[in-house]
Amino acid sequence: AVVAQRRDEFGLVLLDLTLRGESGAALVPRLRELAPALPVLLMSGYAADDALANLSAGEVAGFLAKPFRAATLLEKVQEALSASRAS
């Protein structure tokens, strides 16, 4: 995982649930420690129920089921960024 030197360098994180060596869902609490307000979108080509069930409400801005269209990605990113600005 890439970690920014400054916490304000990223506006959003798009994270796959299936990563080599660690699950994306396991990274969410660590991201919350570094940047509590940073929107996190999760994506996966597999059922996400188990992974998402382990996360507290509000920890992620949304979920994208693969495969998804570019328009769907854009919509989810816009929703997540709008929600984070409203908070």
Side-chain angles (χ1 to χ4, degrees):
V2 175
V3 177
Q5 296 301 314
R6 294 179 3 185
R7 292 184 183 146
D8 60 351
E9 289 184 36
F10 295 102
L12 179 136
V13 172
L14 178 60
L15 190 60
D16 199 305
L17 285 174
T18 306
L19 300 172
R20 181 176 289 162
E22 188 166 20
S23 78
L27 291 177
V28 173
R30 292 176 33 205
L31 286 169
R32 287 286 143 256
E33 289 175 12
L34 295 171
L38 183 66
V40 177
L41 284 174
L42 295 176
M43 64 179 170
S44 181
Y46 303 100
D49 295 341
D50 293 339
L52 294 176
N54 294 329
L55 296 172
S56 301
E59 279 192 290
V60 295
F63 176 78
L64 288 155
K66 293 185 203 174
F68 51 82
R69 299 174 58 84
T72 303
L73 173 61
L74 179 60
E75 180 181 310
K76 288 288 190 179
V77 167
Q78 287 174 330
E79 287 173 6
L81 292 175
S82 292
S84 73
R85 287 187 200 112
S87 308

